[in-house]
Amino acid sequence: MGLAKRIIPCLDVKDGETVKGVNFVSLRSAGDPVALGKAYSEAGADELVFLDITASFEGRKTFTEMVARVAREINIPFTVGGGVHELKDVERLLYAGADKVSMNSAALMHPDLIEQTARRFGSQVCVVAIDARTDDNPQPSTLTPHPSTFNPQPSWHCYLKGGRERTERGLFEWAHEAQERGAGEILFTSMNHDGVKQGYANEALARLADMLSIPVIASGGAGKKEHFRDAFTLGHADAALAASVFHFGEIPISELKQYLHNEGINVRQCK
């Protein structure tokens, strides 16, 4: 059946509290990140992601002390991101208790940080997060094997600083480069789907999964159990990340995993 698919709650943290919005704006409080992290660890989550969502925009470091507090309360793999600008930041977060470090803006602006991290700590530590949004001018990817038979798809552009600044980097080209530089995983968030709860960007996910040899984590769009199933079956994702449906009790992790198991998807069962 292959490797088990992973279910990953995400704690988007701003000013010390967990928040959730729609399309990266209109944030509302979702609770204490330490308490939520502990609850998810006990509920059977496979991993936990902690993102200080304004760290890059405000030019400050991730709250290292809070990372350490969360790490002490959980016994599952822990990925931390936000405000990572140099190798010292990676080292600091790992020392605080992170198992992996997610980099987004810094990786786009300084791609050699991926290589430095992979060389120093191993590719498994380096998660490259990509926030991307579609525009209205479909363009084929330069990585498409047979351009003559390519059906035009929406063009995905990568964004910096928590979705505030658009770049001219394309999603697929950048994901491929990140892999070649040593990234161990790609965390792809569709800004179009974020918080809308209408399902993940499965076509883009499938294209990423088919072209890459490293795991792809789906993010943005979960609203019901079927959306997780589709991310795995249609999007070929290795893991599915979600926030509000978990934070506000809409989908208990144990029920989600039982549903996915019943649908024939290999997941680790809750204890």
Side-chain angles (χ1 to χ4, degrees), residues 22-36:
V22 177
N23 303 134
F24 282 42
V25 295
S26 302
L27 302 177
R28 60 171 171 155
S29 176
D32 173 58
V34 179
L36 282 172

Side-chain angles (χ1 to χ4, degrees), residues 196-208:
V196 180
K197 299 185 179 183
Q198 296 298 311
Y200 293 93
N202 292 317
E203 290 186 9
L205 280 168
R207 190 170 166 194
L208 283 172

